[in-house]
Amino acid sequence: MAMSNLLKRMVLMASMLGIILLAMPGTSSAEDVWCYSSNGFSYYLSSDTVKVKNAHPPYRGYVKIVNENDGKLWNFFICGFANENDIVYGYTLSRGTGDWGTGERISKNPLYYAVWQAMKPYL
């Protein structure tokens, strides 16, 4: 009888371990997509953060800024886009105030343009 209980516990533990391992996300689930380089920094769109919201601006994602000299993350910002009268505007979220600020035409800002082009396949 004791052997039967031990066997049941081992099967239960093995089953739980299998469920836990299958439920964990893979380490390669996120993909950072290079979109721009300037002044010693490269900008990468984190593709798993691209979202469409029912708010202004509707298209959003995180952009990581990486130092090209050492490959380390330097900073990041949250970028948003809105199509207004067939003109796409780019916005940056102020992490301090939570305000999206004034939009800028992507045709006038090469960084916004590059991020928008990188984001479109994930929308």
Side-chain angles (χ1 to χ4, degrees):
M1 184 133 158
M3 189 62 137
S4 173
N5 286 338
L6 181 61
L7 183 60
K8 287 180 184 177
R9 287 182 184 168
M10 288 175 54
V11 168
L12 178 63
M13 288 174 56
S15 299
M16 289 176 60
L17 180 61
I19 290 170
I20 290 170
L21 291 175
L22 289 174
M24 291 177 64
T27 56
S28 62
S29 62
E31 180 181 337
D32 294 336
V33 179
W34 175 88
C35 49
Y36 188 74
S37 289
S38 179
N39 299 323
F41 293 97
S42 289
Y43 297 78
Y44 293 86
L45 173 67
S46 181
S47 65
D48 65 333
T49 66
V50 174
K51 293 182 174 64
V52 179
K53 299 261 187 176
N54 190 16
H56 185 76
Y59 311 108
R60 304 173 183 191
Y62 285 45
V63 177
K64 297 176 183 179
I65 306 169
V66 175
N67 187 320
E68 291 177 342
N69 291 330
D70 59 14
K72 292 184 180 178
L73 178 67
W74 181 72
N75 206 344
F76 77 93
F77 62 95
I78 302 170
C79 205
F81 296 93
N83 188 340
E84 300 167 10
N85 299 319
D86 294 326
I87 299 170
V88 178
Y89 290 86
Y91 299 84
T92 300
L93 181 68
S94 168
R95 291 183 284 179
T97 65
D99 182 33
W100 283 100
T102 306
E104 183 177 358
R105 288 181 178 207
I106 65 168
S107 61
K108 303 210 182 259
N109 184 316
L111 174 59
Y112 280 151
Y113 180 81
V115 173
W116 176 245
Q117 294 302 315
M119 186 183 283
K120 287 193 313 186
Y122 299 98
L123 296 175

